[in-house]
Amino acid sequence: MKTAKRILLTESEIPTRWYNIMADMPNKPLPPLHPGTREPIKPEDLTPLFPMGLIEQEASTEQYIDIPGEVLDLYRSYRPSPLFRAYGLEKAIGTKCKIYYKYEGYSYAGSHKANTAIAQAYYNKQEGVKKMTTETGAGQWGSALSFACQYFGIELEVFMVKISLEQKPYRKIMMNTYDATVFPSPSNLTDAGRKILAEYPDSPGSLGIAISEAVERAARDPQIKYSLGSVLNHVLLHQTIIGEEALLQMAKTEDYPDIIIGCFGGGSNFAGISFPFIRENLINGRKTRAIAIEPASCPKLTRGRYMYDFGDSVGLTPLLAMYTLGHNFVPAKIHAGGLRYHGAGVLVSQLLKDGLIEAQSKYQKDCFKNGVIFARSEGILPAPESTYAITGAVDEARKCDEEGKAQTILFNLSGHGHLDLAAFDKYFSDEMEDHELTNREIEESIAMIQ
Amino acid sequence: MKTAKRILLTESEIPTRWYNIMADMPNKPLPPLHPGTREPIKPEDLTPLFPMGLIEQEASTEQYIDIPGEVLDLYRSYRPSPLFRAYGLEKAIGTKCKIYYKYEGYSYAGSHKANTAIAQAYYNKQEGVKKMTTETGAGQWGSALSFACQYFGIELEVFMVKISLEQKPYRKIMMNTYDATVFPSPSNLTDAGRKILAEYPDSPGSLGIAISEAVERAARDPQIKYSLGSVLNHVLLHQTIIGEEALLQMAKTEDYPDIIIGCFGGGSNFAGISFPFIRENLINGRKTRAIAIEPASCPKLTRGRYMYDFGDSVGLTPLLAMYTLGHNFVPAKIHAGGLRYHGAGVLVSQLLKDGLIEAQSKYQKDCFKNGVIFARSEGILPAPESTYAITGAVDEARKCDEEGKAQTILFNLSGHGHLDLAAFDKYFSDEMEDHELTNREIEESIAMIQ
């Protein structure tokens, strides 16, 4: 019998626990260090930034963590999300592989970011927080958190990378519609922002700078908590509902993925789809390859160094043991703004170091080419970030075909691209460039932080 | 037991027939007339424009029409669509009514337009059509048909109202991504367009003009068929899958709608949600009120006249017996571009004439106000057109509360507004205006066609 195009779960099949891969990793990641003392950080060091519920999750070694009822209630407005068999894409590229994708674009924000936004706003609300602050690059994260905060009665301010704000005014309007306040970053609201503006009045901003501004706001004001949309353990934890659902959905087919693919910025959507399957590798002897796909112009996994580095530009965050290009690295202005980040989450970094996952980099023109093939064959117009996952899947399928293997590939389609159509226009008008990064540029950026 | 937030159907519960209200109407609508002879039109008169499969549906009096398997296959990529209980909205407006909404924004195009786009492209493909032409205002219809044509291997050209194209470049890029060719209308590709451009070189275009251009293209070239996204019987027929699903979903609750609401442009999304429930009124003695909500600036149902009129500006289409403001009526440039059309489909017009449905008009600032309340309470950011349906529901709920009645209201949320955020920006910056239309303006517009 032919597998259905769309494989659904019923309301009652929604997973009620997040999966914490920390419990099953053969080597635990190195602890975060205090930026001042360089000693392993203690939970109380983080209380100015995060509520205790999230700090506990950050350090937890429990294998599963129950999803609170109020979080599940809001998840149920768009979850379980569908799993699709990519019959159209398979035909378009003429592969013998079976390709599946999990689609996260049905959330109110149009991407997977809602999964952790809801959880983070919830735990803040539980501890009486009335105001939060965050940063956003392309705007996916900021808009996801805006509604989540609105829903739980929390005021939100968002530092949005200035150039992104100018290029993507729609994302700002979306955040305003959800009642969030948006500041272009660098701003003169923080020391970090004022310092940058004094040196470079025309600074286009960067995610690292915006993080510095938001962290500074929260660190200085006991009424404000901070929230991050990727990288951290608790963020990756919340995203594992994607992979838990996908496991149940794959079980409704006759297939099981040989290869799992996600695009990679800080690690959250990749971890979300892959961690539950990596558990099956570690515990149940499965042998699925998990491949993170990053931009060639921001290649921390494939060309960065594993070391302690800051999460932000200014050096306010704890030091994290991760693959990094150096916290001053300024990635080329590719259109997948969500993938322009210098470092990788510590969980993913440790897994890569231990050979439990793989990484590949792709050029953006190839990604848009495959994104268009995907839109024309599957209908869904993908986010620029998601085109990296599509390209990972297409390239692996072609390699399998060359080697005469018909494998099963599952990738995470993290969001739709309805707010990113200007990037497709650049692609069609041949105004898009690929960026070659020399080894020297990378070495210099890393040397700056040693 | 509390009704779930999201009421789903399983894959196998998808309705497999469209409902044709023609079979059950107490008074059948008057026949369309040939624009030259003014005699009732014969099927063969329409063959230059449409494939026979659709012409037969246009005149059919069969109560149900089977949905072809290939159409169902593509429907299944986003259908059954979810029905939501609007707990958040109910709380935000403090009503005792129960409010439900059917959400059509999960389709690849982000709106209900996919339901007929897929069917129309399919019937054209069945008859060997290789190229189609259509018009689009706000771009919802054009993007829906673009992928449907691409899927069935048909080339598509779209005449897009020039001012909409300039205001909403994203919609054009979306159509290009699906491989359609988009022309700003008026264009110099047709006599209709050239005539307008000669008189008004700076004409911003209108839906009526764009229809004239697309109809002319198809009428003159036997290789090209024409497609319309609303108004016609077969279009409304295809949309009834919305209401058929909603009936099954309401049956899973303890409720049945006292009131059904849809926004109204040409009639397709309103008909889609309401016709199956009107059948239950006509046949099974139910007493649901069905209310079409139109813009105060384009009030054909509430202030237009029931008469024969053209569907386009130039007078190329058959004459239709409908409520109209006159085919030369130029509606104010409200942001709900999909509702800026001078006439109403003949089925809906006859039902209104016979008192089987109701109509109300709303001002756009009220609609955006309610749209923002909806986004902040339900999460989904609505299309400007859909804010009219939201407003209809909110106003009816308030009226019920005043009268001490707790009724059940169901409305159709026809699409998301991710491509229409500029309109929300205008609303927030207080740059949005309401347009008062005098009786004299309406009388003059109607007098022009008599």
Side-chain angles (χ1 to χ4, degrees):
Chain A
M1 201 188 111
K2 197 180 163 187
T3 304
K5 168 80 189 158
R6 190 168 71 148
I7 299 125
L8 301 174
L9 298 177
T10 65
E11 210 79 345
S12 61
E13 289 174 301
I14 195 169
T16 57
R17 303 184 302 179
W18 293 302
Y19 169 58
N20 183 11
I21 201 166
M22 189 91 91
D24 298 321
M25 290 168 78
N27 299 309
K28 308 304 173 202
L30 296 177
L33 304 182
H34 191 285
T37 65
R38 308 242 160 176
E39 292 293 318
I41 214 153
K42 293 188 268 310
E44 55 267 33
D45 295 330
L46 294 171
T47 51
L49 298 185
F50 303 109
M52 198 44 84
L54 294 174
I55 295 172
E56 281 166 9
Q57 291 182 354
E58 190 64 19
S60 170
T61 53
E62 290 295 313
Q63 193 180 22
Y64 294 98
I65 292 174
D66 286 341
I67 305 175
E70 283 184 72
V71 172
L72 271 179
D73 279 350
L74 195 46
Y75 276 1
R76 284 203 179 92
S77 71
Y78 65 96
R79 307 206 71 87
S81 74
L83 178 78
F84 288 95
R85 171 75 183 270
Y87 286 114
L89 179 64
E90 290 172 20
K91 195 174 152 203
I93 63 169
T95 183
K96 290 206 162 58
C97 290
K98 293 175 183 173
I99 305 179
Y100 291 86
Y101 58 97
K102 181 82 169 155
Y103 183 45
E104 292 293 307
Y106 283 175
S107 85
Y108 59 86
S111 82
H112 70 292
K113 292 288 185 188
N115 301 328
T116 184
I118 292 166
Q120 291 192 50
Y122 167 80
Y123 286 105
N124 275 280
K125 184 212 71 164
Q126 283 302 93
E127 298 180 28
V129 174
K130 298 273 181 256
K131 183 167 180 181
M132 290 169 66
T133 182
T134 194
E135 69 290 319
T136 195
Q140 297 262 22
W141 166 242
S143 37
L145 190 61
S146 294
F147 173 66
C149 281
Q150 167 71 16
Y151 181 88
F152 287 115
I154 299 168
E155 193 184 337
L156 177 69
E157 59 179 38
V158 182
F159 290 88
M160 184 169 186
V161 176
K162 193 195 279 174
I163 186 160
S164 294
L165 198 155
E166 287 163 5
Q167 285 173 345
K168 299 190 179 182
Y170 277 25
R171 279 284 175 193
K172 173 184 181 288
I173 304 166
M174 192 169 176
M175 291 184 260
N176 292 154
T177 305
Y178 291 135
D179 211 16
T181 306
V182 182
F183 303 115
S185 166
S187 77
N188 55 20
L189 294 167
T190 64
D191 284 352
R194 282 187 289 267
K195 192 177 149 214
I196 305 267
L197 286 174
E199 275 185 73
Y200 312 101
D202 295 329
S203 166
S206 74
L207 203 52
I209 295 170
I211 295 175
S212 297
E213 292 208 90
V215 167
E216 183 186 323
R217 286 285 276 191
R220 296 219 174 147
D221 186 338
Q223 304 301 315
I224 305 181
K225 294 287 182 203
Y226 169 70
S227 174
L228 186 66
S230 190
V231 179
L232 298 177
N233 300 354
H234 66 270
V235 182
L236 275 52
L237 172 79
H238 302 151
Q239 294 294 355
T240 58
I241 187 151
I242 302 172
E244 293 294 351
E245 286 180 5
L247 263 170
L248 299 175
Q249 286 162 312
M250 290 302 309
K252 298 191 181 215
T253 72
E254 290 173 356
D255 301 315
Y256 188 87
D258 300 297
I259 303 172
I260 289 193
I261 289 168
C263 64
F264 197 94
S268 81
N269 103 81
F270 170 74
I273 187 90
S274 68
F275 281 7
F277 288 90
I278 297 173
R279 174 190 66 219
E280 300 305 306
N281 287 354
L282 292 169
I283 293 182
N284 293 322
R286 292 281 194 175
K287 296 195 183 315
T288 300
R289 294 168 59 206
I291 311 173
I293 311 289
E294 64 184 4
S297 54
C298 194
K300 58 251 181 185
L301 296 175
T302 52
R303 298 170 72 189
R305 192 170 302 170
Y306 180 82
M307 60 189 294
Y308 272 106
D309 193 10
F310 293 108
D312 68 325
S313 295
V314 172
L316 298 177
T317 70
L319 286 153
L320 302 173
M322 61 182 180
Y323 282 92
T324 179
L325 295 163
H327 64 269
N328 290 306
F329 181 79
V330 179
K333 286 173 199 146
I334 55 164
H335 292 277
L339 309 184
R340 293 177 68 243
Y341 184 68
H342 66 274
V346 297
L347 292 173
V348 177
S349 292
Q350 187 66 44
L351 291 169
L352 181 64
K353 194 158 169 285
D354 292 342
L356 297 172
I357 63 168
E358 303 169 39
Q360 297 175 7
S361 71
K362 305 287 177 190
Y363 288 98
Q364 73 170 343
K365 288 206 305 202
D366 269 350
C367 292
F368 274 87
K369 187 176 139 197
N370 288 313
V372 172
I373 291 172
F374 183 84
R376 291 182 183 174
S377 56
E378 291 291 321
I380 298 168
L381 205 151
E385 290 81 3
S386 308
T387 65
Y388 286 77
I390 294 168
T391 301
V394 166
D395 289 353
E396 285 299 318
R398 290 199 167 123
K399 219 163 67 185
C400 287
D401 289 333
E402 279 165 21
E403 295 169 2
K405 298 185 294 193
Q407 295 205 312
T408 296
I409 300 169
L410 164 64
F411 71 91
N412 196 21
L413 190 72
S414 54
H416 69 60
H418 291 175
L419 286 141
D420 304 279
L421 281 157
F424 283 85
D425 195 36
K426 295 268 184 219
Y427 172 73
F428 287 124
S429 350
D430 214 12
E431 287 173 42
M432 187 171 281
E433 283 174 16
D434 282 331
H435 305 265
E436 285 297 341
L437 197 59
T438 64
N439 286 333
R440 184 165 178 153
E441 285 174 280
I442 294 175
E443 281 160 24
E444 283 178 357
S445 175
I446 291 174
M448 279 175 70
I449 59 166
Q450 287 180 304
Chain B
M1 200 188 109
K2 196 180 163 187
T3 303
K5 169 80 189 156
R6 190 168 70 150
I7 299 126
L8 300 175
L9 298 177
T10 64
E11 209 79 346
S12 61
E13 289 175 300
I14 194 170
T16 58
R17 303 185 301 180
W18 293 303
Y19 169 58
N20 183 11
I21 201 167
M22 188 91 91
D24 297 321
M25 290 168 77
N27 298 310
K28 307 304 172 202
L30 296 177
L33 304 182
H34 191 284
T37 64
R38 308 242 161 176
E39 291 294 317
I41 214 154
K42 294 187 269 308
E44 55 267 33
D45 295 330
L46 294 171
T47 52
L49 297 186
F50 303 109
M52 198 43 86
L54 294 174
I55 295 171
E56 281 166 9
Q57 290 181 355
E58 190 63 21
S60 170
T61 53
E62 290 295 314
Q63 193 180 21
Y64 294 98
I65 292 174
D66 285 340
I67 305 174
E70 282 183 73
V71 172
L72 271 178
D73 279 349
L74 196 46
Y75 276 1
R76 284 204 179 92
S77 71
Y78 65 95
R79 305 207 72 87
S81 74
L83 178 79
F84 288 95
R85 171 75 183 272
Y87 286 114
L89 179 65
E90 289 172 19
K91 195 175 152 203
I93 64 169
T95 183
K96 291 204 161 59
C97 290
K98 293 176 183 172
I99 304 179
Y100 290 87
Y101 58 95
K102 182 81 169 156
Y103 182 45
E104 292 294 306
Y106 283 175
S107 85
Y108 58 86
S111 83
H112 69 292
K113 292 288 184 186
N115 300 329
T116 184
I118 293 167
Q120 291 193 48
Y122 166 80
Y123 286 107
N124 275 280
K125 184 212 72 163
Q126 282 302 94
E127 298 181 27
V129 174
K130 297 271 181 259
K131 184 167 179 180
M132 290 170 66
T133 183
T134 194
E135 70 290 319
T136 196
Q140 297 262 22
W141 166 241
S143 38
L145 190 61
S146 294
F147 173 67
C149 281
Q150 168 71 17
Y151 181 87
F152 286 116
I154 298 168
E155 195 184 334
L156 177 69
E157 59 179 37
V158 182
F159 289 87
M160 183 169 186
V161 176
K162 194 195 278 175
I163 187 160
S164 293
L165 197 153
E166 287 164 4
Q167 284 174 347
K168 299 191 179 183
Y170 277 25
R171 280 285 176 191
K172 172 183 180 288
I173 304 166
M174 192 170 177
M175 292 184 259
N176 292 154
T177 305
Y178 291 136
D179 211 15
T181 307
V182 181
F183 303 116
S185 167
S187 77
N188 56 20
L189 293 167
T190 64
D191 283 353
R194 281 186 292 267
K195 190 175 150 217
I196 306 266
L197 286 174
E199 274 184 73
Y200 312 100
D202 296 328
S203 166
S206 75
L207 204 51
I209 296 170
I211 295 176
S212 297
E213 292 209 271
V215 167
E216 182 185 323
R217 286 284 277 191
R220 296 221 174 145
D221 186 338
Q223 303 302 314
I224 305 180
K225 294 288 182 204
Y226 169 71
S227 174
L228 186 67
S230 189
V231 179
L232 298 178
N233 300 354
H234 67 270
V235 182
L236 274 52
L237 172 79
H238 302 151
Q239 294 294 355
T240 58
I241 188 151
I242 301 172
E244 292 294 351
E245 286 181 4
L247 263 169
L248 299 175
Q249 286 162 314
M250 290 302 309
K252 296 189 181 219
T253 72
E254 290 173 354
D255 301 315
Y256 189 88
D258 300 297
I259 302 172
I260 290 193
I261 289 168
C263 62
F264 197 93
S268 80
N269 103 81
F270 170 74
I273 188 89
S274 67
F275 281 8
F277 288 90
I278 296 173
R279 174 190 66 220
E280 299 305 306
N281 287 355
L282 292 169
I283 294 182
N284 292 322
R286 292 282 194 175
K287 296 197 183 314
T288 300
R289 293 168 58 207
I291 311 174
I293 311 288
E294 63 184 6
S297 54
C298 194
K300 57 248 178 186
L301 296 176
T302 52
R303 298 171 72 189
R305 191 169 303 169
Y306 180 81
M307 60 188 296
Y308 270 108
D309 193 9
F310 293 107
D312 68 325
S313 295
V314 172
L316 298 177
T317 70
L319 286 153
L320 302 174
M322 61 182 180
Y323 282 91
T324 178
L325 295 163
H327 64 270
N328 291 307
F329 181 79
V330 180
K333 286 173 199 147
I334 56 164
H335 291 277
L339 309 184
R340 293 178 68 244
Y341 184 68
H342 66 274
V346 297
L347 292 173
V348 177
S349 292
Q350 186 67 45
L351 291 169
L352 181 65
K353 194 158 170 285
D354 292 342
L356 297 172
I357 63 169
E358 303 170 38
Q360 296 175 6
S361 71
K362 305 287 176 189
Y363 287 98
Q364 74 170 343
K365 286 204 310 201
D366 269 350
C367 292
F368 274 87
K369 186 176 143 200
N370 288 313
V372 172
I373 291 171
F374 183 84
R376 290 182 184 175
S377 56
E378 291 291 321
I380 297 169
L381 205 151
E385 290 80 4
S386 308
T387 66
Y388 286 77
I390 294 168
T391 301
V394 166
D395 289 353
E396 284 299 319
R398 290 198 168 124
K399 220 163 68 185
C400 287
D401 290 333
E402 280 165 22
E403 295 168 4
K405 297 185 294 192
Q407 295 206 313
T408 296
I409 299 169
L410 165 64
F411 72 89
N412 196 22
L413 189 71
S414 54
H416 70 61
H418 290 175
L419 286 141
D420 304 279
L421 282 157
F424 283 84
D425 195 36
K426 295 266 185 222
Y427 172 72
F428 287 123
S429 352
D430 214 12
E431 289 173 41
M432 188 172 280
E433 283 173 17
D434 282 330
H435 305 267
E436 286 296 341
L437 197 59
T438 63
N439 287 332
R440 183 166 181 153
E441 285 173 281
I442 294 174
E443 281 160 22
E444 283 177 356
S445 175
I446 290 174
M448 279 175 71
I449 59 167
Q450 288 180 304

